[in-house]
Amino acid sequence: MASKNSPLETKFSFNLLPNKTFSFLQDKTTLQLLMKWSMLGRISAQAFSFDQTFYPYNSHDFTLSFFRDPCVLTNLRKMEAGAWVTLEGEVVCVQVEVVPCSKVTMEMFDPLYSSGIITASGHITKCFHDTYPDYDLLRQMLQEEDGVMERREFLFLLFKHVTLGGELCQYEDTIHPYMDTTRSIYRDLVSVQKNPESKEISVVSTVIKVSALDASGVIYPAREKEDQSFSYLIVDPFRRHVYVFYHCYGVGAFTL
């Protein structure tokens, strides 16, 4: 959904948090998997702080402020023609989608087993495809509109992104590498809190899928539309931190 700039919008200011590290971008096993899936060197995470109170209903104003902020324009990375660059040109509007994010366990993936997509041992069930000889039921499910999963949840979208990978993705025979990587990224990006009375853990982050446009069209996350080119803003309203999780579809790096 694209919205016009509003005269009543809340003005946020942002600062880069250069010392913030993300475990999934430092863990050797995870990096090797990202390389195998043709995502290495094309996936990134950055952290910024902000200065105003954030509310989910204000996601559009927050996002527009983000893409117009001088610090963001200087530091936000995007990939173009195989190289990391910063945003150029004036962002005239943004497209935002607040993504449901409520899961604190991996239980939502249990139906993959009960439906026969994954065997009890964790192997992915193969199936016939006219074009791809090594096709499987998992990729088939991910590329369908309906299925056994809660498809709008951020946890599912992360899983889908790492499973489908980049342009030269080498696919796994078992579910475990996908699940482990999804869990690692999710834990890095999403903030939770424990209720002191009930002891229940709940997600406090708001996840926003974003695109930015200049006068000529979409310039971020990529000029060409591709499901595997994406950017999410993950907002922690209590710490006033926002994490940018980004990937540009293409041929990933071949070495760590």
Side-chain angles (χ1 to χ4, degrees), residues 53-180:
T53 302
F54 171 84
Y55 299 100
Y57 69 79
N58 214 19
S59 294
H60 175 267
D61 291 349
F62 179 86
T63 303
L64 189 62
S65 290
F66 181 79
F67 282 105
R68 289 178 169 177
D69 187 87
C71 178
V72 173
L73 292 173
T74 302
N75 292 284
L76 183 68
R77 304 200 311 161
K78 60 171 281 192
M79 179 153 283
E80 203 160 279
W84 289 105
V85 298
T86 55
L87 282 176
E88 294 182 0
E90 180 187 1
V91 172
V92 297
C93 67
V94 293
Q95 296 173 335
V96 304
E97 177 188 351
V98 177
V99 177
C101 184
S102 62
K103 303 302 180 184
V104 294
T105 73
M106 303 293 282
E107 290 179 358
M108 70 174 294
F109 296 105
D110 289 350
L112 293 177
Y113 294 85
S114 58
S115 65
I117 294 173
I118 308 298
T119 67
S121 64
H123 282 79
I124 301 167
T125 305
K126 302 294 183 182
C127 65
F128 176 77
H129 193 282
D130 290 332
T131 306
Y132 305 105
D134 192 30
Y135 206 58
D136 57 59
L137 289 180
L138 180 60
R139 274 183 283 163
Q140 178 177 288
M141 182 275 292
L142 292 174
Q143 292 169 335
E144 291 174 346
E145 291 299 321
D146 300 314
V148 298
M149 309 299 298
E150 299 173 69
R151 291 175 172 269
R152 295 187 64 237
E153 274 282 335
F154 184 52
L155 184 59
F156 175 83
L157 294 176
L158 279 183
F159 176 79
K160 179 179 179 180
H161 287 316
V162 300
T163 303
L164 295 181
E167 190 170 345
L168 298 181
C169 182
Q170 301 175 58
Y171 298 101
E172 302 293 331
D173 293 322
T174 68
I175 194 73
H176 309 303
Y178 299 134
M179 295 284 277
D180 291 345

